[in-house]
Amino acid sequence: MTPKEVLDLAKEKDIKVVDLRFLDFPGVWQHFTVPIKELDESAFENGFGFDGSSIRGWQPIHASDMLVVPDPNTAQIDPFFEEPTLVLIGDIVDPITKEAYSRDPRNIAKKAEAYLKSTGIGDTCYIGPEAEFFIFDDIRYDNANNGCFYEVDSVEGIWNTGRDECPNLGYKPRHKEGYFPVPPTDKFQDMRTEMLLVLESMGIDTECQHHEVATAGQAEIDMRFKPLLVMGDQLMWFKYILKNVAYKYGRTVTFMPKPLYGDNGTGMHTHISIWNGDTPVFAGDKYAGLSQEAMYAIGGILKHCRALCAFTNPSTNSYKRLVPGFEAPVNLAYSSRNRSAAVRIPMYSQSPKAKRIEFRTPDPSCNGYLAFSAMLMAVLDGIENKIDPGEPLDKNIYDLPPEELANIPSAPGSLDEALEALKEDHEFLLKGDVFTQDVIDMWIEYKTDNEVNAVKLRPHPYEFFLYYDI
């Protein structure tokens, strides 16, 4: 869409205001709104000013002025605002040099796509994330010097079988039995369908919606694969739409990886493929119908997985899900069909066009632009350096004897381990200036200071159960 076409759309839809959106460093959408009269064709070059020092992980206060330059290809009508509102996602630039901002996640995604083309390996990286989430009825939490607590609740929660609900009608999915009974056990069919239809109305292609394994409203809506940058934009719309539809129903959605103890966490299995024009680069005659390039791509992901986790699993809570011996794939191996491997080759279709690899470790707390870009860079490093992934592991990893399991490397066990791995292994991310050293350093610094240390310094409620009487 051209700037003129955006202005024509605004006139046709009687748009009153324009909402400008961009992503902060950790991955939360930010916005401000201007009257429609402020949007003309020059705005798509000159942008709009804002204070970059107030955005997490960005500018110091003495160099705070930044510009957000709207991308006309992202024009959408917001489905929730009362007044007709045009939404434009913007790119961040320096107001003096007019250069793209190195810490803008969308800029990193653009550079990753450009680097792919420069390698000659392909021209498009398709990304298909399966983002899971929880729908809760209530969420309360607090943190103070002398105490802390959290409590979530759901009409579906198995813990509520004995609650007086005036009346309690039962039909609450037991732990790990939410995949996927029909209503009335599944109480969120209509809400998930509305989420799906709103996504479709925005031009976001979906494939299915369903309840997920855990009790208490765990769910999944799958988007059809799209090019990396487009999927980065779509993931932001995805989270926004799901949260706002749930809010309308008086409920709340979270993409936090592990909000419940004793039940499945929330993952984001991510499908990756590379195409060169009309040719699927990952289709061939090797293992599971993959090409040699795809095998090397797997090698790249497995080699760099510990560093990748700093972006694909970027919260301290992520590692409550990534615990050896439980539901998440922490063992760095690959397989067809075997869902206990970190990398899986889906076998639903034998068509060459369907050949892809599925990285199962990530979760949806990630900043999609950064996570998808890092995955692509690991894939490309594998192909460029012909990294052998070794032999597949076509058996249940969880049933392996200890001596055999000891030979399989594992994903990090904590965010600080992942950040340490990123510190030691990030040269592959710097190729093509996709991730700059400044981005790597700031990511490690921000996550360490604001999340890792903040959690380490606080007593955990369970520690009182374990140790108070010592």
Side-chain angles (χ1 to χ4, degrees), residues 418-456:
L419 294 172
E420 188 62 34
L422 178 63
K423 190 182 297 184
E424 299 299 322
D425 176 26
H426 60 260
E427 290 298 322
F428 71 101
L429 297 170
L430 302 179
K431 294 179 182 178
D433 200 40
V434 175
F435 287 78
T436 62
Q437 189 64 51
D438 170 68
V439 166
I440 301 296
D441 292 343
M442 178 51 69
W443 186 259
I444 293 170
E445 178 184 333
Y446 180 89
K447 288 286 176 177
T448 300
D449 292 348
N450 294 280
E451 299 178 32
V452 171
N453 289 343
V455 170
K456 278 184 176 180

Side-chain angles (χ1 to χ4, degrees), residues 141-310:
Y141 54 88
D142 196 14
N143 289 279
N145 286 12
N146 65 326
C148 65
F149 81 95
Y150 75 89
E151 186 170 353
V152 296
D153 205 2
S154 168
V155 67
E156 274 196 0
I158 190 63
W159 56 84
N160 282 324
T161 54
R163 184 173 67 176
D164 185 0
E165 295 180 340
C166 302
N168 189 323
L169 300 178
Y171 303 116
K172 302 179 192 301
R174 289 174 286 273
H175 290 297
K176 300 183 181 293
E177 293 187 20
Y179 191 85
F180 24 49
V182 297
T185 302
D186 177 359
K187 296 177 174 56
F188 301 116
Q189 168 69 17
D190 289 339
M191 188 192 306
R192 292 195 310 270
T193 292
E194 183 170 336
M195 292 169 173
L196 181 149
L197 292 176
V198 174
L199 288 165
E200 289 278 339
S201 74
M202 304 287 289
I204 297 174
D205 295 328
T206 58
E207 295 182 335
C208 70
Q209 62 90 346
H210 58 82
H211 204 290
E212 257 298 339
V213 173
T215 188
Q218 192 183 36
E220 180 178 316
I221 300 176
D222 293 337
M223 291 180 284
R224 185 169 176 79
F225 63 89
K226 286 289 187 293
L228 189 152
L229 178 65
V230 174
M231 186 53 75
D233 292 341
Q234 284 193 180
L235 184 60
M236 298 315 301
W237 274 113
F238 181 88
K239 291 183 176 183
Y240 176 78
I241 288 168
L242 269 56
K243 289 176 181 178
N244 278 280
V245 170
Y247 197 77
K248 188 184 80 170
Y249 279 80
R251 290 188 162 93
T252 178
V253 157
T254 182
F255 294 92
M256 186 176 174
K258 191 72 172 180
L260 295 182
Y261 166 69
D263 213 330
N264 278 39
T266 289
M268 190 179 74
H269 307 152
T270 303
H271 299 254
I272 311 165
S273 64
I274 293 177
W275 284 59
N276 196 5
D278 296 328
T279 303
V281 175
F282 282 3
D285 58 1
K286 303 299 182 183
Y287 176 80
L290 294 179
S291 65
Q292 185 61 65
E293 288 85 356
M295 299 300 293
Y296 291 145
I298 293 171
I301 287 181
L302 296 179
K303 177 181 178 180
H304 298 298
C305 183
R306 292 180 61 84
L308 285 179
C309 284

